[in-house]
Every structure is written in C-alpha cells, then in structure tokens.
Amino acid sequence: MIRILLAEDDDSMRAYLSRALEKSGYEVVAVANGAQAVPHIDTDNFDLLLTDIVMPEMDGIELAQHAASAAPDMRIMFITGFAAVTLRAGQAVPQAKVLSKPFHLRELVLEVERMFGTESLTGLT
C-alpha cells in the first residue's frame, strides 16, 4: 500500500484530503505543519510527501528540501492556493509536482495514480 505523509495547516482541508486519499486505497498520516512532519520523515518510510506550501513554523518548501535530503526516494507533491509560490516551489524542488488550489479530489487522486502507476479503489477517478 502506498503511504502518504500529508502536511496541511487547514484542519478541514487536512481531514477532507485524508479521507479522500484513504477511500482511494492509500495509507495517510496527516500533520498540521512542516515541523510536525519532520519526525515522521526521519523515522518512518513514506512513498509521497503531499504538502501545502504556505504553513506556519516550517513551510512546505523547507519541508520538501528536508525530505529530499532525508528520504531521497520519497516523491513530493505541493498543493497551494498561491500562484506566486508555485514558481518558487518548482525552483526549490524541481522534481516535485505542484497542484494548485482549488482542485477537485479526482485531480489529486489522478496525480497520485500517475506518480505510482496505480488505480484508485473508488470511483473518484
């Protein structure tokens, strides 16, 4: 099973994304910011880091740079509602995928499936 570490500071968005990804057959560990995600990256194995970019304490770009160093095989996908930071994210972590908010859950699941060559377990796609 593909394991996803989700870092999203918006409580309702974090819960919404976690439920949708779990219903699609993924294992999800969800945290509220980058600082909370670091210990998970350092001590556990995840296939994907799905992170908001703009978060308190440690933003998604800093988190992704840490992940790229600590767990180089982990794939990275940014989610953001700020167009200006999309360019910065692409420059800081060029191998990462960027998904701009608002997006439909179908888009998110499709992007994850493309990254891993899988098909979801639900009809979201």
Side-chain angles (χ1 to χ4, degrees), residues 3-68:
R3 299 189 73 224
I4 299 173
L5 177 59
L6 170 64
E8 167 62 64
D9 62 320
D10 180 282
D11 293 340
S12 59
M13 177 66 87
R14 186 172 60 252
Y16 180 68
L17 294 175
S18 292
R19 276 193 309 272
L21 289 165
E22 287 169 350
K23 285 181 181 178
S24 295
Y26 301 107
E27 181 182 339
V28 179
V29 173
V31 296
N33 59 51
Q36 290 179 9
V38 168
H40 291 282
I41 292 169
D42 291 345
T43 62
D44 209 346
N45 292 319
F46 291 92
D47 301 295
L48 174 65
L49 170 63
L50 177 60
T51 180
D52 191 3
I53 295 177
V54 179
M55 295 184 292
E57 294 186 52
M58 176 185 226
D59 71 26
I61 294 172
E62 293 170 305
L63 177 60
Q65 290 171 328
H66 175 80

